């Protein structure tokens, strides 16, 4: 998961960030609160005829949405010239990981009941589960190393490690695409958004390399 930027706590001190971060925290929490209310049957709410599938699907979708939102922070901050936005990446990344962890745990506990043989068979034989599990596995070390302390320990290796968020997001999009049975428009939109983000990153890297070459020459 994305962590605080290398320049320390300067982004934390920006007054706009102090206002935006609590609002963003609330917005990211609302889908989880809504799902919890539905799961508990509050105010006559429910999860429908297939509650486990409904819970699992909604958690996975929100996890992927917030993960893609996390990847939008850097280009948005660069485009708007608002570096304080970078201070929001870690929170968004950890929210994405929380939703995806709950998605995985719903499948592991409520759907599979810790049947390790069935779990291994699903991962090995069902491609959409294979890629989903691989994407989640890529996110695990990113969540563990998301703190400023790990960033200092790993140094430049931290940035290389956290680039795994892009293949993880790609696997998440494929997992969603292969899972849907009829309406593929939503996973297609997520895939297109990820391609745009990858294109922006590639252009930024090319620009940086060109500037470095001119400076060296």
């Amino acid at each position: 998961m994305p962590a605080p930027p290398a320049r320390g706590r300067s982004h934390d001190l920006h007054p706009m960030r102090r206002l935006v971060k609590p609002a963003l925290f609330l917005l990211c929490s609302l889908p989880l609160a809504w799902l919890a209310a539905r799961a508990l049957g509050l105010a006559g709410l429910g999860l429908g005829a297939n509650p486990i599938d409904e819970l699992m699907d909604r958690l996975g979708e929100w996890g992927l949405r917030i993960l893609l939102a996390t990847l939008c922070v850097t280009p948005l901050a660069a485009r708007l010239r608002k570096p304080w936005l970078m201070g929001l990446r870690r929170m968004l990344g950890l929210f994405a990981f929380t939703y995806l962890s709950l998605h995985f745990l719903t499948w592991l506990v409520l759907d599979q009941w810790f049947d390790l043989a069935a779990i291994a068979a699903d991962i090995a034989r069902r491609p959409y589960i294979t890629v989903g599990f691989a994407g989640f596995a890529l996110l695990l070390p990113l969540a563990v190393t998301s703190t400023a302390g790990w960033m200092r320990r790993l140094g430049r290796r931290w940035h290389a490690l956290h680039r795994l968020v892009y293949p993880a997001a790609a696997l998440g999009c494929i997992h969603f695409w292969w899972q849907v049975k009829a309406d593929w428009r939503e996973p297609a939109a997520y895939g297109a958004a990820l391609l745009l983000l990858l294109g922006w990153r590639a252009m930024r890297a090319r620009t940086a390399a060109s500037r470095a070459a001119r400076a060296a020459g």
Side-chain angles (χ1 to χ4, degrees):
M1 296 291 100
R7 293 188 178 181
R9 299 183 59 84
S10 59
H11 299 310
D12 295 338
L13 301 177
H14 196 283
M16 280 301 297
R17 183 181 180 275
R18 291 181 177 181
L19 295 173
V20 172
K21 188 173 182 180
L24 191 59
F25 184 95
L26 179 61
L27 285 174
C28 290
S29 301
L30 285 176
L32 187 57
W34 176 249
L35 284 171
R38 292 177 63 191
L40 294 172
L42 300 180
L45 298 173
L47 291 171
N50 298 299
I52 295 174
D53 287 346
E54 174 69 8
L55 183 62
M56 188 162 47
D57 290 347
R58 299 293 84 78
L59 286 167
E61 288 169 15
W62 277 107
L64 182 57
R65 289 167 188 159
I66 298 174
L67 184 62
L68 291 173
T70 306
L71 297 179
C72 289
V73 171
T74 299
L76 187 64
R79 180 68 177 174
L80 298 178
R81 297 182 180 179
K82 303 291 185 183
W84 62 266
L85 288 170
M86 299 294 284
L88 303 175
R89 291 183 305 170
R90 179 175 181 268
M91 185 183 72
L92 280 172
L94 290 175
F95 259 113
F97 182 74
T98 297
Y99 277 92
L100 294 172
S101 295
L102 292 172
H103 170 71
F104 174 73
L105 287 172
T106 301
W107 173 71
L108 182 72
V109 179
L110 299 181
D111 188 57
Q112 298 293 327
W113 289 100
F114 287 111
D115 186 339
L116 297 182
I119 290 167
D122 268 358
I123 293 172
R125 297 174 188 173
R126 303 173 72 180
Y128 84 92
I129 293 181
T130 306
V131 298
F133 180 77
F136 181 70
L138 288 179
L139 292 177
L140 283 170
L142 308 191
V144 171
T145 60
S146 65
T147 64
W150 272 107
M151 193 176 186
R152 288 192 298 270
R153 291 187 197 101
L154 293 174
R156 292 183 179 180
R157 292 174 295 171
W158 184 92
H159 294 283
L161 175 65
H162 279 249
R163 291 190 188 104
L164 291 176
V165 69
Y166 288 96
L171 290 171
C173 290
I174 295 169
H175 170 71
F176 188 19
W177 187 299
W178 285 353
Q179 185 182 13
V180 298
K181 297 178 175 63
D183 192 350
W184 49 266
R185 289 174 295 179
E186 188 175 1
Y190 296 160
L194 180 60
L195 287 175
L196 287 173
L197 288 165
L198 289 170
W200 179 86
R201 183 177 179 84
M203 286 190 295
R204 189 188 191 199
R206 183 180 298 178
T207 301
S210 176
R211 287 174 179 171
R214 288 198 300 269

